[in-house]
Amino acid sequence: ENSADGSGAKYEFMEEDTMLENDLVANEDQEEKKYNPQVGNRIEFDDLVCLQVSNTKFRTTWQTLMREPGSELAKMCDPEAVLLRPAIFKNGAYFIDRDPERFGLILEYLRDGELRRSISEDLLFGLLSEADYFRLPKLKEEVNFRLQEKFAVIKLNVGGTLFETTQSTLRKEPNSVLAKALDPDISNNPVFIKDGTFFLDRNPDTFRVILEYLRQGQLNPNIIFSKDLIWNLGKEAEYLKLSNLKEELEKLTSFRIAVRGVEFKESKCTLIAEPSSLLARIANVFCESSDINSDGSKPIQIDTDPDWFANLWRRRLLKIVKRSDVTLPPGSRFKDLTEFARKLELLDDYEELGF
């Protein structure tokens, strides 16, 4: 079979040696992938890549993942690179044990080259951690810039009084006039800018309370003692489109009753100012908690005749007076209302309604 000079046999032996050497290299590669944590599965250069981040799946391209070449995501696509953390391929997707909401923002950033505008402070701080984890320095730089923007000091001239606050405070209610004043694309805004200061032609005393509410996330409970302040805050909340403030104001300052679907409402300020009135007695009898601390956004339910209760409610500021002789029938002009109030257990036998 071999030639006379033996060259064929020599060639055959060289070919077998080469095949054996290739097998050994392949086996070494397999062993390295199996035991070396720095060698993991790599993303193949297909059109689409499927990533499962926690319990959420994402589809993207390898070109998107390689936008920042030195990142861990880019290294997953590079067979030559050393991964700090090996990728795990499972159920047709590369598994990454990170927060899916943050990862979705990272993918958007890699696709578009910039972060979207409406990202909360909590998410931005979370993205800082993700930028470190995935080694995305440009993203980290962008996030730091956004955080500096949010915490930048803003000067406001409100009715001649100067206030200083941060952008993040004014953006607490995103759909408000104050938040939109910081957006250069919004027109027809009542907030004007002059010499780097925002000017708003409103009441500064009321605005001081609003600004404190935006900082703290809640109103000072003592406002229930000022009827004028409650009225002004309601008007300003409507003008500045502060819907959350309006709800908080209603919850803190209102006293509401529902009688078979018909609602009745009064200010807690009036309730406090008239402690001996029928109104105060209604609150004390039907409120589960203190009438001052009751949630004004949730009406107290009373099951009685709504027409009769409406008559009683119209006279809610009448005083509750003691009768000198309980053996005599009530001589008050409010006899019928007094009897109805007794049926609701609002009055004792020795009490009646009067001035």
Side-chain angles (χ1 to χ4, degrees):
E1 296 178 356
N2 298 328
S3 60
D5 59 1
S7 60
K10 183 179 180 181
Y11 176 81
E12 183 179 350
F13 292 145
M14 290 176 64
E15 185 176 29
E16 289 179 357
D17 289 343
T18 302
M19 292 174 62
L20 180 60
E21 184 179 352
N22 290 339
D23 289 342
L24 289 172
V25 171
N27 289 334
E28 287 175 1
D29 287 344
Q30 292 298 323
E31 290 297 312
E32 185 181 20
K33 288 184 177 181
K34 183 176 180 180
Y35 296 110
N36 188 348
Q38 292 185 333
V39 178
N41 293 312
R42 304 304 171 115
I43 293 175
E44 297 180 359
F45 288 76
D46 296 327
D47 291 335
L48 287 177
V49 176
C50 185
L51 302 170
Q52 180 167 335
V53 182
S54 188
N55 59 350
T56 304
K57 285 191 175 182
F58 296 89
R59 291 187 181 276
T60 185
T61 64
W62 62 270
Q63 292 97 333
T64 298
L65 297 179
M66 295 187 72
R67 286 287 165 80
E68 288 206 23
S71 70
E72 288 297 296
L73 294 173
K75 288 179 181 179
M76 289 172 64
C77 305
D78 183 358
E80 303 275 328
V82 176
L83 288 168
L84 291 178
R85 307 166 190 87
I88 302 170
F89 190 78
K90 186 177 180 181
N91 298 329
Y94 291 89
F95 180 78
I96 301 175
D97 190 18
R98 302 299 290 176
D99 182 85
E101 185 178 11
R102 297 175 188 174
F103 191 81
L105 292 173
I106 290 174
L107 271 188
E108 282 188 10
Y109 166 77
L110 292 175
R111 290 181 187 125
D112 303 333
E114 61 180 5
L115 285 173
R116 67 168 76 165
R117 295 301 304 177
S118 56
I119 301 179
S120 68
E121 293 169 27
D122 289 342
L123 268 179
L124 284 173
F125 281 116
L127 283 175
L128 279 181
S129 299
E130 300 303 311
D132 284 333
Y133 181 88
F134 289 111
R135 295 177 176 260
L136 295 161
K138 292 181 180 178
L139 173 62
K140 188 173 182 178
E141 183 180 342
E142 176 73 12
V143 171
N144 278 320
F145 178 76
R146 290 291 181 86
L147 286 170
Q148 289 174 3
E149 272 190 332
K150 279 184 174 290
F151 290 102
V153 175
I154 298 294
K155 292 183 179 181
L156 300 103
N157 181 342
V158 182
T161 302
L162 289 177
F163 295 89
E164 288 190 355
T165 186
T166 63
Q167 288 197 30
S168 60
T169 297
L170 296 183
R171 293 185 190 274
K172 286 289 176 68
E173 291 209 26
N175 296 320
S176 69
V177 168
L178 297 174
K180 291 182 178 180
L182 303 175
D183 190 341
D185 296 329
I186 300 295
S187 58
N188 300 324
N189 198 302
V191 181
F192 303 97
I193 303 175
K194 183 179 180 182
D195 299 329
T197 300
F198 291 84
F199 178 77
L200 185 63
D201 190 18
R202 305 302 290 178
N203 185 315
D205 294 330
T206 308
F207 187 80
R208 182 174 286 105
V209 178
I210 291 173
L211 192 56
E212 195 61 27
Y213 159 75
L214 292 173
R215 289 169 177 151
Q216 303 295 336
Q218 61 183 9
L219 286 167
N220 188 326
N222 290 330
I223 69 168
I224 63 174
F225 297 101
S226 175
K227 200 166 187 176
D228 290 341
L229 179 57
I230 292 171
W231 188 87
N232 287 333
L233 280 173
K235 288 295 183 182
E236 292 303 291
E238 186 175 345
Y239 178 82
L240 296 174
K241 298 181 180 179
L242 294 162
S243 57
N244 292 341
L245 171 59
K246 196 172 181 179
E247 291 177 10
E248 182 72 14
L249 190 65
E250 179 79 8
K251 179 178 179 179
L252 184 64
T253 66
S254 295
F255 174 70
R256 295 167 64 199
I257 288 176
V259 182
R260 295 179 184 174
V262 181
E263 287 202 5
F264 303 87
K265 178 181 172 182
E266 184 55 88
S267 168
K268 288 181 185 177
C269 188
T270 303
L271 190 62
I272 295 168
E274 303 289 343
S276 60
S277 67
L278 174 61
L279 174 66
R281 181 64 61 85
I282 292 171
N284 290 334
V285 169
F286 291 106
C287 276
E288 294 181 0
S289 61
S290 167
D291 50 2
I292 294 177
N293 296 324
S294 62
D295 186 346
S297 64
K298 299 175 181 178
I300 300 164
Q301 302 292 331
I302 300 178
D303 186 19
T304 190
D305 186 289
D307 294 331
W308 267 103
F309 190 86
N311 291 331
L312 198 68
W313 189 258
R314 279 194 288 270
R315 297 289 187 171
R316 62 188 177 277
L317 297 185
L318 286 174
K319 305 295 182 185
I320 296 176
V321 296
K322 293 181 180 179
R323 294 169 57 200
S324 57
D325 189 350
V326 296
T327 61
L328 296 175
S332 167
R333 57 183 286 197
F334 307 113
K335 176 182 176 180
D336 292 340
L337 286 179
T338 297
E339 291 301 323
F340 180 69
R342 284 205 179 99
K343 288 181 181 179
L344 293 178
E345 299 181 351
L346 294 172
L347 300 177
D348 289 325
D349 290 339
Y350 59 86
E351 294 176 326
E352 63 182 16
L353 298 177
F355 290 107

